[in-house]
């Protein structure tokens, strides 16, 4: 059996390690269990149906990786491995865990997802040092009480089961940073989920919520929110309170609009909105200064706003499966860079067009107070005047230069229109309205 196998352990990261992964093994060579100083054993990605009880001889074992095999049970001797801190037995055919699992008092990570478990043994809750527990993709319909005892737990994954509610006690875990509860047929989150004051990642996709889970809006430390496939049609205004959010997934819902308060999410880098009900592009996305990735594919959007070009960190834009007519199809087919360049060029045309229309209708004296109100100094006015064409009042150019150098909201045409109204230039503002010029 051992023929052709290298059974000589190596020191990796200061630990005596034997890597027998991906070798087509149907059993573990008995010689392995003679290496009593072994600290890490990796027999993952084989065809093992069992692990012999002789594994109990490896009393120095710190980490056991036996995932992606055909295991239907684990040896009882595993619970004697008192130094074991990491146990990875996911992607097998396990229906239960060994009796006495609570004896593994040093265990910090237990990964048993993608198996056939119908219950979590209560002994798991007696592991005082457990930090990561992954029981996702099993056949769990209930959780026995006691999860609140895992006071050191940082990550809990219970998605892809048959749970109808978040287990009692989860909201009493003071160190929880990652919680994944969907997909599951869960209709609502418990109100006391707001007690998770250090949570950074919450995953609730494909749950059966009637509306956006409002309790989430109080989780001020949240950095990643996955809420796709929940079938809600509105995002509350208070989503703008999640100031640390850098990933937001709202894909496969029924959204037609987004709240303007999303512009407050200055750290948002990744946004996933594919397969919703958007007829028009949500303009608030143009106000996200650090957005790098946007997937708004599979909607009913016909036009991208030129203002999107201001999201200059956007490197990955997916607008496929939309009936887009603007930008033209040949531009869209060239990818994100071409789309953004096109929108920027079009935005510059809009600015010049708008100001040229204004210049025809405005008395020269009206532009002086407007230019000064925008902060243009006399020196700047004089310098720019040299370059102003004879057929356009130089004050138009003075205003244009100052305004176009502004960033964020100050650079939008609507912001300029409002500025004109504030100065009581109502007729000028009317001329800037999209109904008065072609853009």
């Amino acid at each position: 059996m051992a023929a052709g196998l290298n059974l000589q352990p190596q020191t990796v990261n200061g630990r005596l390690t034997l890597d027998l992964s991906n070798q087509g093994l149907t059993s573990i060579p008995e010689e392995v269990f003679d290496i009593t100083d072994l600290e890490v054993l990796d027999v993952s990605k084989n065809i093992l149906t069992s692990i012999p009880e002789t594994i109990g001889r490896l009393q120095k074992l710190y980490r056991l990786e036996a995932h992606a095999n055909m295991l239907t049970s684990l040896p009882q001797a595993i619970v004697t491995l008192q130094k074991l801190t990491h146990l990875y037995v996911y992607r097998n055919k396990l229906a239960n865990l060994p009796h006495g699992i609570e004896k593994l008092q040093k265990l910090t990570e237990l990964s048993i997802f993608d198996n056939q478990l119908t219950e979590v043994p209560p002994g798991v809750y007696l592991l005082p040092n457990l930090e990561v527990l992954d029981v996702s993709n099993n056949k769990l319909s209930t959780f026995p009480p006691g999860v609140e005892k895992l006071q050191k737990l940082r990550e809990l994954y219970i998605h892809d089961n048959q749970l109808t509610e978040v287990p009692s006690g989860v909201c009493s875990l003071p160190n929880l940073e990652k919680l994944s509860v969907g997909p599951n047929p869960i209709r609502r989150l418990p109100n006391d989920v707001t007690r998770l004051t250090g949570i950074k990642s919450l995953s609730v996709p494909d749950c059966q919520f009637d509306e956006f889970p409002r309790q989430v809006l109080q989780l001020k430390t949240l950095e990643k929110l996955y809420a796709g496939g929940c079938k809600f049609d509105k995002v509350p205004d208070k989503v703008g309170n999640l100031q640390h959010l850098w990933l937001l997934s709202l894909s496969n819902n029924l959204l037609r609009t987004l709240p303007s308060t999303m512009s407050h999410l200055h750290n948002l880098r990744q946004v996933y909105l594919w397969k919703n009900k958007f007829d028009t592009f949500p303009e608030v996305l143009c106000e996200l200064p650090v957005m790098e990735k946007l997937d708004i594919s599979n909607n009913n959007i016909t036009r991208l706003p030129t203002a999107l070009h201001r999201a200059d960190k956007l490197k990955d834009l997916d607008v496929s499966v939309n009936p887009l007519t603007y930008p033209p199809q040949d531009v869209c087919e060239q990818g994100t860079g071409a789309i953004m360049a096109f929108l920027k060029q079009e935005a510059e045309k809009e600015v010049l067009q708008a100001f040229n229309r204004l210049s025809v209708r405005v008395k020269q004296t009206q532009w002086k107070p407007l230019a000064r109100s925008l902060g243009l100094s006399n020196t700047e006015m004089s310098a720019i005047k040299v370059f102003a064409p004879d057929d356009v009042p130089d004050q138009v150019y003075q205003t244009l230069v100052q305004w176009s150098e502004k960033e964020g909201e100050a650079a939008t045409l609507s912001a300029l229109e409002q500025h004109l109204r504030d100065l009581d230039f109502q007729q000028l503002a009317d001329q800037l309205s999209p109904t008065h010029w072609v853009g």
Side-chain angles (χ1 to χ4, degrees):
M1 178 65 215
L5 280 178
N6 180 5
L7 299 181
Q8 186 65 40
Q10 307 292 322
T11 299
V12 179
N13 296 326
R15 302 258 181 200
L16 192 63
T17 301
L18 181 60
D19 186 352
L20 297 178
S21 64
N22 203 22
Q23 297 291 321
L25 299 178
T26 55
S27 64
I28 302 174
E30 280 297 320
E31 302 98 303
V32 169
F33 306 112
D34 293 331
I35 312 173
T36 54
D37 286 338
L38 202 60
E39 295 174 283
V40 177
L41 175 60
D42 187 348
V43 291
S44 63
K45 302 176 185 176
N46 284 296
I47 321 171
L48 302 176
T49 56
S50 65
I51 296 175
E53 293 288 344
T54 44
I55 195 171
R57 295 164 62 186
L58 303 181
Q59 285 295 302
K60 294 185 179 180
L61 206 61
Y62 153 87
R63 183 186 186 105
L64 174 60
E65 300 198 22
H67 56 273
N69 278 288
M70 306 286 285
L71 300 174
T72 56
S73 64
L74 295 177
Q76 188 61 40
I78 274 190
V79 304
T80 69
L81 303 178
Q82 298 294 297
K83 293 190 176 182
L84 202 64
T85 59
H86 296 70
L87 178 56
Y88 301 104
V89 289
Y90 56 89
R91 295 195 182 120
N92 278 288
K93 298 182 180 297
L94 301 173
N96 49 57
L97 291 180
H99 178 70
I101 192 76
E102 64 273 12
K103 294 179 181 178
L104 299 176
Q105 291 285 289
K106 292 188 177 181
L107 205 63
T108 61
E109 293 193 21
L110 177 57
S111 188
I112 48 178
F113 69 85
D114 203 359
N115 276 287
Q116 306 290 320
L117 298 180
T118 56
E119 64 175 1
V120 177
V124 169
Y125 300 149
L126 300 176
L127 298 171
N129 291 298
L130 201 62
E131 297 179 11
V132 179
L133 175 60
D134 192 340
V135 292
S136 60
N137 200 16
N138 277 285
K139 297 181 177 180
L140 306 175
S141 57
T142 60
F143 251 64
V147 69
E148 66 277 2
K149 297 176 184 177
L150 300 175
Q151 290 288 290
K152 290 188 178 180
L153 203 65
R154 292 184 295 104
E155 302 178 16
L156 176 61
Y157 305 91
I158 58 176
H159 56 272
D160 286 294
N161 279 288
Q162 298 160 20
L163 301 169
T164 57
E165 60 183 8
V166 176
S168 173
V170 166
C171 301
S172 300
L173 299 172
N175 293 301
L176 200 64
E177 295 180 358
K178 294 184 179 180
L179 175 60
S180 179
V181 301
N184 268 303
I186 294 174
R187 301 197 67 86
R188 63 184 304 277
L189 292 179
N191 288 332
D192 58 351
V193 75
T194 56
R195 294 171 59 191
L196 299 176
T197 55
I199 194 164
K200 295 180 179 179
S201 176
L202 177 62
S203 184
V204 293
D206 298 300
C207 289
Q208 298 177 5
F209 300 140
D210 294 327
E211 62 176 8
F212 188 95
R214 293 179 178 271
Q215 302 93 326
V216 171
L217 304 173
Q218 297 184 48
L219 301 176
K220 301 295 180 63
T221 57
L222 207 58
E223 296 177 1
K224 296 190 286 186
L225 175 60
Y226 301 88
C230 294
K231 305 307 179 197
F232 48 75
D233 60 3
K234 186 177 181 181
V235 178
D237 288 345
K238 289 187 178 179
V239 71
N241 293 345
L242 303 178
Q243 293 287 298
H244 294 284
L245 208 63
W246 66 262
L247 183 151
L248 177 61
S249 176
L250 299 173
S251 55
N252 195 21
N253 280 297
L254 303 172
L255 301 174
R256 295 182 182 275
T257 61
L258 294 175
S260 61
T261 53
M262 273 188 60
S263 63
H264 301 159
L265 302 179
H266 298 302
N267 293 304
L268 200 55
R269 301 198 301 272
Q270 298 183 23
V271 185
Y272 300 89
L273 296 168
W274 51 266
K275 203 173 182 182
N276 272 280
K277 301 293 182 181
F278 292 106
D279 293 319
T280 58
F281 187 92
E283 294 265 355
V284 68
L285 297 176
C286 304
E287 310 301 328
L288 300 176
V290 297
M291 182 170 60
E292 299 171 355
K293 180 178 178 65
L294 171 61
D295 187 342
I296 197 164
S297 60
N298 280 271
N299 279 281
N300 199 34
I301 298 168
T302 58
R303 183 182 182 88
L304 298 183
T306 55
L308 183 59
H309 85 276
R310 294 202 309 273
D312 55 3
K313 288 187 169 55
L314 185 58
K315 306 301 180 189
D316 188 352
L317 172 65
D318 190 345
V319 291
S320 60
V321 200
N322 276 291
L324 279 176
T325 58
Y326 183 91
Q329 184 177 354
D330 62 321
V331 173
C332 294
E333 288 174 351
Q334 295 176 53
T336 303
I339 293 173
M340 298 299 281
F342 174 87
L343 295 176
K344 183 176 182 180
Q345 187 177 40
E346 291 292 289
E348 290 170 352
K349 290 179 183 177
E350 289 178 358
V351 169
L352 289 173
Q353 185 184 48
F355 273 91
N356 285 335
R357 284 190 64 88
L358 287 172
S359 68
V360 174
R361 299 172 181 269
V362 178
K363 294 180 180 178
Q364 207 165 6
T365 54
Q366 286 181 293
W367 281 99
K368 290 184 178 180
L370 178 59
R372 289 196 178 96
S373 72
L374 288 171
L376 214 65
S377 68
N378 289 333
T379 303
E380 289 170 323
M381 290 182 188
S382 299
I384 295 169
K385 187 174 182 179
V386 177
F387 299 99
D390 293 336
D391 58 342
V392 181
D394 56 340
Q395 288 85 359
V396 172
Y397 273 81
Q398 294 159 10
T399 306
L400 169 60
V401 170
Q402 181 67 22
W403 171 67
S404 64
E405 286 181 351
K406 292 190 178 285
E407 297 179 355
E409 293 183 2
T412 64
L413 290 176
S414 59
L416 179 62
E417 182 183 346
Q418 185 58 50
H419 187 73
L420 288 166
R421 295 192 190 282
D422 292 342
L423 294 170
D424 204 25
F425 295 155
Q426 301 297 334
Q427 289 183 329
L428 302 189
D430 289 342
Q431 295 306 315
L432 201 57
S433 173
T435 59
H436 286 80
W437 53 277
V438 181

